Amino acid sequence: MAPEQVLKPDHAAVARHPIFTDEHEAMRLEIRRFVETELAPHAEEWEETTFPDSVFRRMGELGFLGLSYPEEHGGQGGDYAYNLVLAEELARSNCGGLVMGVAVHTDMANPPIRMLGTEDQKRRYLEPAMRGEKIACLGITEPDAGSDVAGIKTTAVRDPAHPDEFVVNGSKVFITNGHRADYIVLVTKTDPEAGYGGFSLFIVDMDSPGIVREKRLEKLGMHASDTALLSFTDVRVPAENLLGEEGKGFYHIMWELQGERLIGAVGAVASAQLLIDRTLEYAKERTAFGRPIGKFQGIRWKFAEMATKLEAARQLNYETARRVMAGDYPVREISMAKLFASRIACEIADECVQIHGGNGYMKEYGIERAWRDLRLNRIGAGTDETLLEYIGRSYGI
Ligand SMILES: Cc1cc2nc3c(=O)[nH]c(=O)nc-3n(C[C@H](O)[C@H](O)[C@H](O)COP(=O)(O)OP(=O)(O)OC[C@H]3O[C@@H](n4cnc5c(N)ncnc54)[C@H](O)[C@@H]3O)c2cc1C
């Protein structure tokens, strides 16, 4: 073979990461078809109205809510890489709020039930959740405690007169799906004197007397999602709804947060990739000073920077996911992946607005919406600073 043939770069070649098989790619196409035909066309409308609950039922019908959940509880029995495929393809809906609402259900609130739930809990909550008949939300954050999870004040106290019941009092804020949810996976303090050993998780039916869905919170982005302030006053929760071990709730929720962070990192990279792709098209078409703006070195270098950083973020995500799938618990690398992907995605969204010029600032192009939606990634599921602190401490300093 001639040297020029051997050395010719093949930029069109697509390297598939080894965590993905032909089966994953077949599922990817199926999900993509659904997202492009049934979700993306409604993105504008759902920004105004929030997305309808019927999305959960439809996704349940198609088997997309339980891709990696066990078959005996209504899931598809696949591996974790299917969750990545779902997160990547949902990004094509151009509807960040919808992606978040679905991810809270598939990758945040329900994994603790799969991992820790009793058979009865799985039958009552997980199975209808897989079908999209019940919608889940997750309650960690409170008005006075977000990053500092151990600072929560919501209590669950066993009623001495009815030892098979706990009484919950407190409030939760910024709860995604909080208005539509049928149940909440709730972080409480069962023993305020016991430090990290004093937390417990409960599955609480959202129609229980004493729960008030106070306010539909208005926000910068993610408008298609609903975000609630919830109050709990003398809410009686049967002891059989204790999730996992009493007193182990802090460790249980720290485990949950790892999945939430990794899926957030994967979703951020997928959204940023779509932004780059759309902006590249724009840079090829938009002309200034007699040539497409993409032909200016200053613009070309922006793409080179964005693509390089995004590829690094993607590889860190995939490698970390590979380790999770191999049975490791790489908390430091998950923190790094979430931190890096969120920052790079925000940086890319900002550059894409810039490359679009005035059009980037206009609603019509959808770039400003992605810029607003992606900003949440540096705050939700652990702020940049919380993750930096965690990563730094992991080195023993
Ligand atoms: C749209 C949206 C949806 C959400 N959905 C949910 C949900 O479904 N369920 C849920 O439970 N929560 C949810 N959250 C809450 C989210 O996880 C928290 O907002 C986040 O963890 C940060 O907590 P906080 O807002 O209380 O900020 P704070 O903890 O008050 O932090 C304020 C600032 O101080 C910094 N800071 C805090 N501690 C340190 C430190 N040790 N060192 C340096 N800096 C520090 C933070 O990084 C941040 O910059 C959601 C939030 C939003 C905005």
Side-chain angles (χ1 to χ4, degrees):
M1 199 178 275
E4 64 274 17
Q5 281 174 305
V6 176
L7 297 175
K8 194 165 185 277
D10 182 2
H11 300 305
V14 179
R16 187 167 86 189
H17 193 276
I19 55 173
F20 298 116
T21 62
D22 288 348
E23 286 73 28
H24 292 109
E25 294 312 306
M27 178 58 76
R28 182 186 296 284
L29 293 182
E30 230 180 278
I31 298 173
R32 187 174 299 178
R33 220 171 8 251
F34 161 71
V35 170
E36 288 179 348
T37 57
E38 300 190 36
L39 302 181
H42 302 285
E44 295 294 333
E45 174 196 340
W46 293 344
E47 279 296 291
E48 306 298 327
T49 60
T50 72
F51 73 95
D53 294 354
S54 56
V55 168
F56 283 100
R57 285 194 294 278
R58 180 70 180 133
M59 288 186 70
E61 245 169 54
L62 294 168
F64 296 161
L65 294 179
L67 293 170
S68 64
Y69 285 80
E71 286 171 276
E72 66 264 33
H73 294 298
Q76 308 302 307
D79 63 15
Y80 183 61
Y82 283 100
N83 294 39
L84 274 50
V85 170
L86 180 70
E88 291 179 340
E89 294 307 314
L90 278 178
R92 291 175 184 271
S93 66
N94 293 321
C95 195
L98 178 145
V99 177
M100 180 168 71
V102 171
V104 163
H105 186 86
T106 54
D107 287 86
M108 302 177 198
N110 283 314
I113 304 182
R114 179 194 58 207
M115 172 84 161
L116 309 162
T118 61
E119 278 306 303
D120 175 59
Q121 289 169 348
K122 289 177 182 171
R123 191 183 47 73
R124 287 190 290 135
Y125 295 100
L126 208 51
E127 292 181 13
M130 299 295 97
R131 296 192 293 270
E133 290 166 7
K134 280 192 176 177
I135 299 170
C137 68
L138 176 68
I140 308 174
T141 309
E142 300 188 356
D144 294 323
S147 307
D148 179 14
V149 175
I152 64 158
K153 296 199 183 91
T154 297
T155 53
V157 178
R158 207 182 273 272
D159 181 353
H162 302 275
D164 57 344
E165 280 184 356
F166 285 81
V167 180
V168 173
N169 280 287
S171 59
K172 296 286 171 183
V173 75
F174 306 147
I175 305 306
T176 304
N177 293 345
H179 283 278
R180 65 173 91 229
D182 296 288
Y183 61 93
I184 183 167
V185 171
L186 189 70
V187 186
T188 69
K189 264 188 181 160
T190 35
D191 183 354
E193 308 303 315
Y196 291 116
F199 295 79
S200 302
L201 306 187
F202 289 87
I203 309 172
V204 182
D205 289 308
M206 286 294 286
D207 58 4
S208 308
I211 298 183
V212 178
R213 307 185 205 226
E214 300 242 1
K215 234 200 255 175
R216 199 174 275 271
L217 300 168
E218 307 246 332
K219 46 198 191 292
L220 174 71
M222 300 290 196
H223 289 169
S225 66
D226 76 74
T227 309
L229 168 63
L230 306 173
S231 75
F232 300 79
T233 309
D234 294 332
V235 179
R236 304 195 79 83
V237 180
E240 65 190 17
N241 278 27
L242 175 69
L243 180 60
E245 258 186 79
E246 185 172 347
K248 290 279 175 7
F250 187 80
Y251 306 100
H252 292 335
I253 207 63
M254 288 299 131
W255 172 83
E256 180 285 324
L257 280 169
Q258 305 315 314
E260 179 168 342
R261 288 172 184 163
L262 192 48
I263 213 68
V266 170
V269 166
S271 299
Q273 183 65 60
L274 292 168
L275 278 178
I276 293 183
D277 294 347
R278 284 163 64 190
T279 306
L280 197 54
E281 288 308 308
Y282 186 83
K284 287 177 184 167
E285 284 164 14
R286 175 75 181 178
T287 56
F289 301 98
R291 67 174 86 165
I293 58 169
K295 289 289 181 191
F296 293 115
Q297 188 183 48
I299 299 288
R300 197 158 52 226
W301 283 18
K302 283 184 193 288
F303 281 103
E305 290 273 8
M306 292 192 291
T308 304
K309 290 175 182 173
L310 196 64
E311 190 57 24
R314 186 180 357 253
Q315 295 305 327
L316 179 56
N317 287 350
Y318 285 168
E319 174 54 17
T320 306
R322 187 197 62 74
R323 289 187 57 193
V324 168
M325 291 167 69
D328 286 359
Y329 188 48
V331 175
R332 174 164 58 200
E333 287 72 19
I334 290 172
S335 308
M336 290 173 169
K338 155 75 163 69
L339 173 74
F340 191 59
S342 304
R343 286 183 160 181
I344 295 309
C346 287
E347 202 181 306
I348 287 173
D350 200 60
E351 279 293 34
C352 289
V353 169
Q354 193 67 21
I355 295 169
H356 274 78
N359 284 332
Y361 206 75
M362 296 296 123
K363 255 181 126 172
E364 189 189 336
Y365 281 77
I367 301 287
E368 58 82 38
R369 188 166 84 215
W371 182 84
R372 287 186 285 108
D373 288 352
L374 278 167
R375 190 60 183 81
L376 177 63
N377 287 62
R378 294 185 52 204
I379 298 170
T383 62
D384 284 8
E385 294 75 18
T386 307
L387 297 173
L388 283 168
E389 189 62 13
Y390 186 85
I391 297 163
R393 283 187 193 190
S394 75
Y395 292 104
I397 49 174

